[in-house]
Amino acid sequence: MRYGIIIAAIVLSWGGFAYKLRDLWHNPRNPALRALCALLLAFAIAVTIGLPPVYQSIPPLMWYPSGVRLVQHLLAVLAGLAMQVLGGHVAGATATVYRFWVPYTVVTLVAMVVLFVLAPVGTDADDFVNQYAAAPFVTEYLLVFLTFAVLSLGAVCLRSVRHARLTRRRCLPTGLRLLASAGLVGIVFALHKAGYALARRFGLEPPWSEGPVSTTLVCGAALLLAVGATVAGWAPKLVRLRLRLRRYHAYRRLDPLWRRCTR
């Protein structure tokens, strides 16, 4: 079940990236499309590289498997920045993005790398938090990353809900609400992981395993993100296709009457 959710998240993430990349190919100067493609690409790589057969086939991660968590978290931070850039272009508030989010992202990335290098982390990548949260610098590393995640996802949720109320474009409010839902699931993931890490740091043993819960939440957020980011493009086509099918069946039902009239 767990790997089924991961595979579904990987397929939809890469599918969403390929779908929007086609739009970017036709409109390469659109900054919002560039940010959206960067967001989907970062999430797709982060989810994909977490599979053991994938990271165990990459030479640096073969020797140091725990490094895959650092790579995933760095990609998640970059995806968070792409979210802010996308929202800034949509809302016309790019100044705030470059004045606050870009410096904050750089500081977060540097702090994460430094703390991860200082941490006495072993080779257990599958149960990273449970194994190493009690070690020096690991919980600090996680809190730096998760604080960024909560702040960036919270901004995405608020902006998506606000614009969903204002826009009248077909299917776009649905996509924005799905993006807000993805952000909310991501916040739950961050709070869960932070709480679990702090519990392990203070010597407590939570009665559940952190890995499956976090994986489910991340994959759920990735699924909502992929659908929400692309629904405004493909949903109207599905509506038109459904309308054509209904018309086709209606014409088929009217065919006997039409033949009698023409005779």
Side-chain angles (χ1 to χ4, degrees), residues 91-250:
T94 55
T96 303
V97 174
Y98 293 106
R99 186 169 57 247
F100 173 75
W101 285 105
V102 171
Y104 181 35
T105 301
V106 173
V107 171
T108 300
L109 293 173
V110 172
M112 287 171 60
V113 172
V114 171
L115 290 170
F116 194 90
V117 171
L118 293 175
V121 175
T123 59
D124 191 341
D126 291 334
D127 201 14
F128 181 83
V129 176
N130 189 50
Q131 291 294 326
Y132 307 120
F137 302 109
V138 175
T139 300
E140 291 81 356
Y141 158 81
L142 289 171
L143 290 178
V144 169
F145 161 60
L146 296 172
T147 300
F148 180 92
V150 169
L151 292 178
S152 61
L153 291 172
V156 169
C157 288
L158 294 175
R159 189 181 294 118
S160 298
V161 171
R162 182 164 56 248
H163 284 284
R165 295 172 180 171
L166 298 177
T167 185
R168 294 292 182 268
R169 182 181 169 186
R170 195 172 190 178
C171 297
L172 185 57
T174 301
L176 290 171
R177 293 188 185 98
L178 287 172
L179 289 178
S181 301
L184 183 60
V185 174
I187 291 173
V188 173
F189 154 80
L191 295 177
H192 166 260
K193 187 179 283 287
Y196 197 99
L198 288 171
R200 294 290 294 124
R201 182 62 177 267
F202 291 108
L204 302 177
E205 187 72 33
W208 68 91
S209 180
E210 182 271 337
V213 177
S214 294
T215 300
T216 302
L217 291 172
V218 167
C219 291
L223 293 172
L224 291 170
L225 172 65
V227 176
T230 59
V231 67
W234 52 262
K237 297 178 182 177
L238 289 181
V239 172
R240 288 194 294 269
L241 177 61
R242 181 187 175 190
L243 180 60
R244 289 178 182 176
L245 290 175
R246 290 179 60 185
R247 288 175 176 173
Y248 173 76
H249 290 300

